[in-house]
Amino acid sequence: MAQTATTSSSGLATPTPLLRALQVLAGLAVLNVLFQFITAGQLFPSGGPDQLHAAGAILLHVVSGLATIAAFVLWRTGRITLGLAALTFGVFVWGFIQAAIGGYDTLYLHVPGAMLLTGGVVWLFLASLRARSR
């Protein structure tokens, strides 16, 4: 079953359900990264909710993984660009790299990596909102 874009009364194409899912997942990733910043800030100086921070990382893997699947399907059906699909995949992979280097002894890598991940997640969200159904 092919998904087609419909035109609203304003003349703009409304997103297909799968594109809307990508947009929602990208928005959830932004909120998740915000949650990660909050829990990371509470980890210092005396230690804090490291279980919450770890759970947030797992949730980010799930959300970005689902977004990657949606983006891949949208790209394969010609509804989004390869660049947007690649960005989604890059965010997904970078989340695992962040988790791998997330420890007290590797904070000098983890903190700049978190900035890069944040930039990628925000870029993904904005790019998904700009994507038009074809």
Side-chain angles (χ1 to χ4, degrees), residues 39-67:
T39 58
Q42 293 176 354
L43 290 174
F44 297 102
S46 60
D50 56 348
Q51 294 86 5
L52 280 176
H53 194 69
I58 292 169
L59 182 60
L60 182 60
H61 299 323
V62 171
V63 168
S64 63
L66 291 171

Side-chain angles (χ1 to χ4, degrees), residues 110-125:
H110 190 68
V111 172
M115 298 300 123
L116 185 62
L117 182 62
T118 300
V121 167
V122 171
W123 184 10
L124 171 60
F125 178 59

Side-chain angles (χ1 to χ4, degrees), residues 30 32-42 53 111 114-115 118:
V30 170
N32 181 277
V33 167
L34 176 62
F35 175 79
Q36 290 298 92
F37 273 101
I38 292 168
T39 58
Q42 293 176 354
H53 194 69
V111 172
M115 298 300 123
T118 300

Side-chain angles (χ1 to χ4, degrees), residues 1-125:
M1 177 167 99
Q3 295 179 344
T4 59
T6 59
T7 304
S8 68
S9 61
S10 65
L12 298 174
T14 58
T16 62
L18 194 55
L19 180 56
R20 181 62 75 203
L22 176 61
Q23 293 167 340
V24 168
L25 289 165
L28 289 173
V30 170
L31 293 175
N32 181 277
V33 167
L34 176 62
F35 175 79
Q36 290 298 92
F37 273 101
I38 292 168
T39 58
Q42 293 176 354
L43 290 174
F44 297 102
S46 60
D50 56 348
Q51 294 86 5
L52 280 176
H53 194 69
I58 292 169
L59 182 60
L60 182 60
H61 299 323
V62 171
V63 168
S64 63
L66 291 171
T68 300
I69 292 168
F72 179 75
V73 171
L74 286 164
W75 170 68
R76 291 290 294 160
T77 58
R79 299 195 187 284
I80 64 169
T81 65
L82 176 60
L84 180 53
L87 175 61
T88 308
F89 181 70
V91 165
F92 178 63
V93 170
W94 193 253
F96 281 96
I97 294 170
Q98 272 297 98
I101 62 173
Y104 287 106
D105 54 343
T106 56
L107 283 177
Y108 65 96
L109 295 172
H110 190 68
V111 172
M115 298 300 123
L116 185 62
L117 182 62
T118 300
V121 167
V122 171
W123 184 10
L124 171 60
F125 178 59

